Structures are given as C-alpha cells and as structure tokens.
C-alpha cells in the first residue's frame, strides 16, 4: 500500500512561474507551509500576487533567489522537506543561451538539495518536449517515460524549449543519482488554464514551435494547470512515486481537438479563417503518447 507524506514545509522554485504559482496555491490549500522562491525577471503580476498572499498567509514565506547563486537557493530551502523545481523562462526560449541558464539552474537546485539535510524529495517540473522530438517519431508506436528527445535534432531544428527541458532534466537526473537525492519528474504537455495567455504567453509559444509536426505525429497534448499542480503534489506525497511521469489530459489528433486548443489559447493563436463558421476535415492521426504510469499514481489515492 502506498504511504502518504505527513504535512510539512515545501519550497516552490520558481513560484512566480505559471506552474509554480499553481503548485504554491494548491500546497497552501492542502495545509502545507510554503517557501515561495522567486527569481528576478519573473512574472511581475504573479510575483505581486504572491507577495500580497504572504501578508495574509502565515504559512507562506517569500524568498528572492538567483538560480546561479547557490547560497540564495540554500537559504530558500531551509527547513523544507521538499522542493518543487519549476524553472520555466518567462521570456520563452528563443536562443541557446536560455538553454544553458536553465541547465545551470537545475544543477544548482539539485546540488543545494544534496547539501540540505531536511530535503526528502525533489519534484522536478519538466515537459513532454523532453521526450517527443527525434527524426523517427512518426514510426514509434509508443512514446512514454523511457523516451528522450534527441539533443542533436533539437539543436538542428532550433527547438530551444525542447532542448532546454531535455538537457536540464537529464542534468538533474544525473546529479540526483550521483548525490543519491530522491527525485521524481513530471513531464506535462502544453499547459493551459486560467489566464494562461496573460501569465504564460512566451513559454506557451516556445512549446508550440513545431506544433504542426507534433500534431501530425500524434504527440501534441495539453493539460490543465490545476491538474498539473495536483500531480506534482501527489508525486511528493506518494512515497512509492519514482522516475518520470507523463502528464496530459488530452491528445490533439483531430481537427476538432486542434480547434478546441486554439480557442483555449486565444488570443495567442488566431483562429484559422476556414474554421470561423464550421469545422472542416476529418483526418485523425494516430496517438503515440502513453501515460499509464501517471494513471496508476492518480488512482492510488488522488481524486482528479
């Protein structure tokens, strides 16, 4: 039988990212004490909301961190039992230098956790883009947690979001295993939810680079941010959770689902003219993504 973690103190780094903010909110709702670690140049609106929350919520403390400053990370982790590592770049991913920054940040977070006696688990927020990109994706029947995106392919196609997520997750796993740190990763599809076009526009568009290829190969999927947050928390609370977890609600493999996604992301993505009056086309692409592992985690005691 899976055992649950007792209520404890958690650090969310970076809490001003779209996913980090929702993890923070759900942790507080569930009775946790939270250290909200906020990086410079994050989402100013979410940061302001978090600081307003701190004034009203005694279980919330806000810390300013620089992921390239090891000491600032250590301070934010003080007395915490878990860290939810959410390192999305609010400016999106348009250059290779942003990849390097995310990799270095991931390494510093894991190293800081290894040096902190209280940390029991890292829940690392990655992406499906760390698993779906390679030359032969259209010939692979099952794309699951064993799969990794090909770094050379991502570099050649300038898929910076995929490159950042793949390299940073791989670096985090390598260091966590070397330092014997307990880590679980969650790999969400494209994240949607309340005000996503306002609070997460550039990372969203970075994820969608190559969207047509993802769609045609059955690996374009999306997921609600509240579900993503709950899965992260579940991955911490369930002591049997291990490895990677693909996390998505819907695979986009029909024109109907594609239209729903466009509507969800409006006004980031304009509605195609031919869909303004009625749907056209009926092509269905084969689904390749598998998330059986997540289903087992969810069914173990987490009400969706």
């Amino acid at each position: 039988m899976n055992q649950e973690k007792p209520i404890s103190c958690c650090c969310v780094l970076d809490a001003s990212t779209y996913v980090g903010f929702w993890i923070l909110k759900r942790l507080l709702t569930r009775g946790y004490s939270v250290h909200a670690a906020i990086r410079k140049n994050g989402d100013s609106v979410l940061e302001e909301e978090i600081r307003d929350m701190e004034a009203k919520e005694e279980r919330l403390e806000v810390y300013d961190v620089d992921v390239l400053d090891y000491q600032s990370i250590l301070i934010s982790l003080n007395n915490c039992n878990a860290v939810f590592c959410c390192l999305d770049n609010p400016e999106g991913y348009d250059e290779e230098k942003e990849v390097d920054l995310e990799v270095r940040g991931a390494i510093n977070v894991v190293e800081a956790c290894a040096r902190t006696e209280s940390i029991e688990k890292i829940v690392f927020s990655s992406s499906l883009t760390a698993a779906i990109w390679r030359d032969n994706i259209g010939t692979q029947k099952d794309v699951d947690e064993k799969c990794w995106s090909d770094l050379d392919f991502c570099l050649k196609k300038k898929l910076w979001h995929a490159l950042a997520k793949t390299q940073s997750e791989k670096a985090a796993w390598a260091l966590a295993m070397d330092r014997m740190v307990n880590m679980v990763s969650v790999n969400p599809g494209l994240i949607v939810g309340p005000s996503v076009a306002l609070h997460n526009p550039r990372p969203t568009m970075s994820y969608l680079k190559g969207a047509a290829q993802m769609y045609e190969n059955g690996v374009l999927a999306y997921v609600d941010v509240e579900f993503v947050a709950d899965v992260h928390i579940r991955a911490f609370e369930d002591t049997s959770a291990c490895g990677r977890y693909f996390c998505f609600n819907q695979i986009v493999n029909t024109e109907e689902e594609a239209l729903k996604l466009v509507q969800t992301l409006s006004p980031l993505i304009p509605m195609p003219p031919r869909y303004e009056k009625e749907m056209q086309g009926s092509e269905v692409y084969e689904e390749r993504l598998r998330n059986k592992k997540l289903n087992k985690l969810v069914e173990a005691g987490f009400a969706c």
Side-chain angles (χ1 to χ4, degrees):
M1 183 174 66
N2 297 328
Q3 296 181 352
E4 305 298 323
K5 287 286 184 184
I7 297 299
S8 52
C9 182
C10 302
C11 177
V12 182
L13 190 170
D14 176 356
S16 68
T17 61
Y18 189 59
V19 171
F21 178 73
W22 279 95
I23 292 174
L24 163 65
K25 290 182 66 174
R26 303 297 266 196
L27 285 168
L28 290 173
T29 299
R30 294 170 70 91
Y32 287 94
S33 296
V34 182
H35 289 186
I38 297 176
R39 292 189 293 171
K40 297 177 182 177
N41 304 319
D43 186 300
S44 59
V45 176
L46 292 181
E47 178 180 346
E48 184 178 349
E49 189 167 342
I50 292 169
R51 294 190 186 279
D52 288 343
M53 290 167 62
E54 182 186 27
K56 304 169 187 175
E57 177 56 75
E58 63 180 14
R59 288 180 289 111
L60 175 62
E61 296 180 40
V62 177
Y63 294 80
D64 294 309
V65 299
D66 178 349
V67 293
L68 300 183
D69 180 0
Y70 180 76
Q71 289 300 320
S72 72
I73 298 174
L74 279 175
I75 292 170
S76 72
L77 298 180
N78 188 39
N79 294 323
C80 289
N81 303 103
V83 59
F84 294 87
C85 184
C86 313
L87 297 181
D88 271 347
N89 185 345
E91 298 302 314
Y93 299 82
D94 299 313
E95 298 180 26
E96 193 169 1
K97 67 179 182 180
E98 291 148 0
V99 176
D100 296 335
L101 175 62
E102 190 149 321
V103 173
R104 291 168 65 191
I107 290 171
N108 282 342
V109 170
V110 176
E111 184 62 43
C113 289
R115 303 290 181 89
T116 307
E117 293 184 2
S118 62
I119 292 293
E120 299 170 8
K121 184 182 285 187
I122 302 170
V123 182
F124 191 89
S125 190
S126 184
S127 173
L128 279 182
T129 61
I132 62 175
W133 284 111
R134 65 185 64 84
D135 272 320
N136 63 343
I137 191 66
T139 64
Q140 187 165 345
K141 183 178 179 181
D142 294 336
V143 179
D144 59 19
E145 288 84 358
K146 298 186 292 293
C147 299
W148 288 94
S149 290
D150 181 85
L151 295 176
D152 290 336
F153 181 85
C154 293
L155 187 61
K156 180 174 68 173
K157 298 294 184 179
K158 298 185 178 180
L159 297 166
W160 304 125
H161 184 278
L163 191 65
K165 296 306 178 183
T166 307
Q167 284 193 330
S168 62
E169 188 187 350
K170 279 193 167 186
W173 274 117
L175 187 58
M177 288 187 285
D178 182 69
R179 299 290 192 269
M180 292 185 291
V181 175
N182 186 13
M183 188 176 111
V184 173
S185 70
V186 178
N187 295 67
L190 179 69
I191 295 169
V192 300
S195 303
V196 66
L198 173 65
H199 293 307
N200 206 43
R202 293 181 179 177
T204 298
M205 296 309 293
S206 293
Y207 185 108
L208 286 170
K209 185 172 183 181
Q213 294 165 275
M214 286 189 271
Y215 171 59
E216 292 168 2
N217 287 296
V219 293
L220 177 59
Y222 62 91
V223 61
D224 181 79
V225 68
E226 295 185 56
F227 180 73
V228 172
D230 285 339
V231 167
H232 279 74
I233 296 169
R234 180 65 188 160
F236 165 58
E237 292 178 336
D238 190 331
T239 57
S240 69
C242 62
R244 307 169 85 200
Y245 288 88
F246 277 14
C247 181
F248 56 87
N249 297 131
Q250 180 65 53
I251 297 176
V252 181
N253 67 329
T254 67
E255 289 197 359
E256 182 180 3
E257 285 299 334
L259 176 59
K260 286 181 182 177
L261 180 58
V262 170
Q263 291 172 328
T264 299
L265 295 176
S266 176
L268 280 181
I269 303 176
M271 185 69 70
R274 71 188 183 112
Y275 291 127
E276 288 179 353
K277 292 186 178 180
E278 61 179 278
M279 288 291 301
Q280 296 183 20
S282 58
E283 188 160 16
V284 178
Y285 294 102
E286 181 182 358
E287 295 181 3
R288 302 187 190 282
L289 293 171
R290 304 289 179 261
N291 65 347
K292 293 179 182 179
K293 190 178 175 189
L294 177 71
N295 293 337
K296 290 180 181 179
L297 179 71
V298 168
E299 291 166 2
F302 163 50
C304 302

